[in-house]
Amino acid sequence: TLYRHSLREHPQSGIIYDLIGKYYWRNGNNEAAEAALRKAVRYFPQNVVSWGLLAEVYLNTGHVERMNEVLKKIDSANFFKTRSKLLVALSEGKSANALHYASQDLAHHPLDLRRQFMVAQLHEITGNRREAKARYLSILLNYPFWIKSDQEIKKAIENHLKAL
């Protein structure tokens, strides 16, 4: 399958294990979902979705203590505090603060294309055109498969690069 091929190419990819875990979870195979999600959070511990789904799998299988441990990890990791600070800074028009929080948020979700794009835009807004251009180009070069599926971001990046 596509997952097996992807794992051969990237054996420590938390994203791939996350997708496998979701697949098993949707098909009611909690045991296989748990195994895949445990690997997902081992290789990509910032992925809140994997942690949340792992907690749900533990709940479904009656492992309430394990679920509570996972929920404590999610709560202690401050995953959501940075995101809310980012939104407040954006709503107040404080670009430099927004860039700071967006960069922290991106550290929790490094493969999120929209977050990558937001950080590039904020660099542009704060006057750091060189960094903005480097980030836009990095997105185009490093995420060709995701760019194909998100033409909206591709067009926006191309427009920003023309303006720089």
Side-chain angles (χ1 to χ4, degrees), residues 85-132:
K85 288 178 184 177
L86 166 62
L87 296 173
V88 169
L90 285 171
S91 69
E92 293 175 350
K94 297 179 179 174
S95 302
N97 290 353
L99 176 58
H100 172 75
Y101 294 124
S103 297
Q104 286 182 340
D105 186 48
L106 182 60
H108 291 295
H109 308 278
L111 301 177
D112 187 307
L113 203 57
R114 293 191 179 276
R115 285 178 168 96
Q116 294 267 356
F117 182 60
M118 181 189 309
V119 169
Q121 284 180 302
L122 287 166
H123 275 290
E124 185 177 355
I125 291 167
T126 57
N128 192 346
R129 296 166 56 91
R130 177 186 241 167
E131 182 66 20

Side-chain angles (χ1 to χ4, degrees), residues 13 60 74 78 87 125 133 149 156 159 161:
S13 172
N60 292 343
I74 292 171
N78 295 324
L87 296 173
I125 291 167
K133 188 172 186 175
S149 67
N159 290 336
L161 283 171

Side-chain angles (χ1 to χ4, degrees), residues 11 15 20 40 47 56-57 60 71-73 77 82 85 88-89 96 100 103 114 119 122-123 131 143 145 150:
I15 299 295
I20 293 169
N47 189 341
E56 189 168 331
V57 167
N60 292 343
L71 293 175
K72 285 178 188 174
K73 284 182 184 181
T82 300
K85 288 178 184 177
V88 169
H100 172 75
S103 297
R114 293 191 179 276
V119 169
L122 287 166
H123 275 290
E131 182 66 20
Y143 302 97
F145 299 109
D150 200 331

Side-chain angles (χ1 to χ4, degrees), residues 13-67:
S13 172
I15 299 295
I16 295 169
Y17 281 111
D18 175 73
L19 294 170
I20 293 169
K22 287 175 186 169
Y23 170 81
Y24 285 129
W25 174 76
R26 281 190 203 112
N27 290 295
N29 189 340
N30 286 313
E31 187 176 311
E34 177 188 349
L37 290 167
R38 287 174 61 83
K39 288 180 181 179
V41 298
R42 181 181 339 137
Y43 296 128
F44 187 19
Q46 301 89 351
N47 189 341
V48 180
V49 176
S50 294
W51 283 108
L53 191 53
L54 182 58
E56 189 168 331
V57 167
Y58 285 146
L59 177 65
N60 292 343
T61 57
H63 294 102
V64 177
E65 285 182 29
R66 288 183 188 170
M67 179 196 73

